[in-house]
Amino acid sequence: MTVRIRTADLGDADLTTFADIVNETTPDDPTSVEVMRWSSAAFPGTSRFVLEADGRPVGTASVGRIYVFPPDFDAFWATINVLPEERRRGHGSALLTAVSEQARAAGKVALHMPASDARPDGIDFLVHRGFRESERNKTVHLELAGMTAPSIDVPTGVSLTTLAERPDLIEGVHAVAVETYADVPGGETPMAAGSLDEFRVRDVDRPSIPAAAFFIATEDATGRVIGYANLLLQPPHRRRIAWHAMTAVTRDWRGRGLATALKRATIGWAITDGLDLLEAGNDTDNLAMRAVNARLGYVPSPDSVILRGPLVGGIMDS
Ligand SMILES: CC(C)(COP(=O)(O)OP(=O)(O)OC[C@H]1O[C@@H](n2cnc3c(N)ncnc32)[C@H](O)[C@@H]1OP(=O)(O)O)[C@@H](O)C(=O)NCCC(=O)NCCS
């Protein structure tokens, strides 16, 4: 068998091949040509590889910066996917070497990789190579078929609007993100919202983050933004699914039902827009958000995890 790993370009052919393999291998975490093209424009520097066995594409990998951490963070993000019938032939290991080389060339010492309890072979593969769990997310979902939009109980003195109606509130939304990202449990390094420009590129101005589903809470007395909740539409694959990207409430307004109201607003939008399913993931320690989800009827899916581990290959190992 001849095995070749090549760098994928941003043309339709390579990106379609890449998306087909990812969507067959990890249907719970789909991608698309459009999403990858957007991501390469917004977050330059990500590399993608295609592994061909006897000329047939059977595996993919990607590697690049983790954009919720500062540029000097010591690890790169990476994904590896091999078609089920092609596993246990060394392809995953070859792709791990390829992404490790890329990370090493950028001065990094580790990789962070996503996996799921739904795919134990992926976790075993990483654990056997020195990776350890660094984050565990309790994933939950809500089936929307047959649901009617829930009524929204906004606390007294608060109004809800959307980014579509009030794009001028973006600076206030960013201020809420700066305060609340630091409070999100999970991992050893706190998430950072970054500058307004970085925040807009990553979390706001994306075709998959609808401004009409980006709900914003303001304090009537001052007009200050005190919370928001938004959705990230998944690339269409079998069903129309959205992920709860962020639900945030400033510290002084917590404990009064505002996160529940914001989340109900996004659920109502999703039902009206004809989505099939909503998904959310929260760190095991995020008891407040998990309680909100349970109260709203979300039920558990397999946990998603992030594993951190060493680069393979390099002069030390030869
Ligand atoms: C994780 C994943 C990429 C591994 O791909 P793979 O091509 O099977 O990887 P490899 O063949 O290099 O290694 C898998 C196992 O097969 C073994 N193996 C390799 N060649 C073999 C051979 N010829 N005969 C028997 N076993 C073999 C490896 O030693 C390894 O076992 P180990 O972990 O006990 O060392 C694949 O399972 C996958 O795509 N999973 C779903 C996606 C996913 O969850 N990704 C996240 C984690 S990266």
Side-chain angles (χ1 to χ4, degrees):
M1 180 175 57
T2 314
V3 175
R4 175 176 164 242
I5 294 180
R6 61 184 181 77
T7 304
D9 61 31
L10 289 175
D12 281 348
D14 270 4
L15 291 186
T16 302
T17 298
F18 200 99
D20 287 349
I21 292 174
V22 169
N23 292 343
E24 183 173 341
T25 316
T26 52
D28 51 308
D29 192 11
T31 190
S32 70
V33 171
E34 293 72 30
V35 163
M36 284 186 278
R37 232 173 241 151
W38 169 84
S39 147
S40 282
F43 306 134
T46 295
S47 305
R48 295 188 183 82
F49 300 103
V50 173
L51 183 146
E52 292 172 348
D54 290 334
R56 177 182 169 239
V58 300
T60 59
S62 66
V63 59
R65 203 190 124 184
I66 308 175
Y67 274 82
V68 285
F69 297 141
D72 60 354
F73 187 68
D74 68 353
F76 260 2
W77 183 256
T79 62
I80 300 182
N81 293 274
V82 174
L83 292 178
E85 70 275 16
E86 291 286 335
R87 290 184 192 161
R88 307 196 73 81
R89 295 177 188 180
H91 298 333
S93 304
L95 287 164
L96 184 61
T97 302
V99 295
S100 293
E101 278 165 8
Q102 199 77 17
R104 187 176 290 110
K108 306 297 172 189
V109 298
L111 294 171
H112 285 203
M113 299 185 65
S116 165
D117 276 355
R119 293 176 260 113
D121 52 354
I123 293 180
D124 290 348
F125 173 84
L126 293 174
V127 167
H128 295 163
R129 283 153 188 80
F131 281 69
R132 295 288 169 266
E133 198 174 296
S134 75
E135 258 184 77
R136 174 164 287 267
N137 274 297
K138 293 289 175 192
T139 307
V140 292
H141 65 270
L142 184 69
E143 291 281 355
L144 301 178
M147 272 185 74
T148 47
S151 59
I152 304 164
D153 244 350
V154 184
T156 313
V158 176
S159 299
L160 285 198
T161 182
T162 65
L163 194 63
E165 288 161 9
R166 294 284 312 273
D168 57 298
L169 291 178
I170 189 59
E171 287 182 16
V173 170
H174 176 244
V176 173
V178 169
E179 177 180 328
T180 55
Y181 272 35
D183 293 342
V184 176
E188 280 153 23
T189 311
M191 281 166 50
S195 69
L196 177 61
D197 282 349
E198 287 167 336
F199 176 67
R200 289 195 78 124
V201 168
R202 193 192 54 233
D203 294 344
V204 183
D205 297 328
R206 293 172 64 159
S208 51
I209 298 190
F214 199 123
F215 289 88
I216 302 172
T218 54
E219 192 176 51
D220 293 341
T222 59
R224 179 172 70 106
V225 177
I226 53 171
Y228 72 93
N230 56 359
L231 293 177
L232 176 65
L233 299 175
Q234 296 297 309
H237 178 67
R238 298 187 194 154
R239 310 182 74 198
R240 285 195 67 210
I241 298 173
W243 183 259
H244 287 282
M246 182 70 183
T247 305
V249 172
T250 53
R251 289 176 200 139
D252 56 336
W253 271 93
R254 288 182 197 161
R256 295 191 236 179
L258 186 51
T260 306
L262 282 161
K263 209 151 205 177
R264 282 210 170 106
T266 58
I267 295 170
W269 181 89
I271 292 170
T272 310
D273 206 62
L275 264 58
D276 297 308
L277 191 79
L278 282 172
E279 290 185 313
N282 293 106
D283 190 86
T284 315
D285 295 336
N286 198 342
L287 300 177
M289 203 65 239
R290 290 177 60 199
V292 169
N293 290 337
R295 197 158 55 236
L296 291 171
Y298 287 74
V299 292
S301 312
D303 287 2
S304 60
V305 287
I306 295 173
L307 294 99
R308 176 185 166 97
L311 309 180
V312 301
I315 42 168
M316 299 300 288
D317 296 1
S318 58

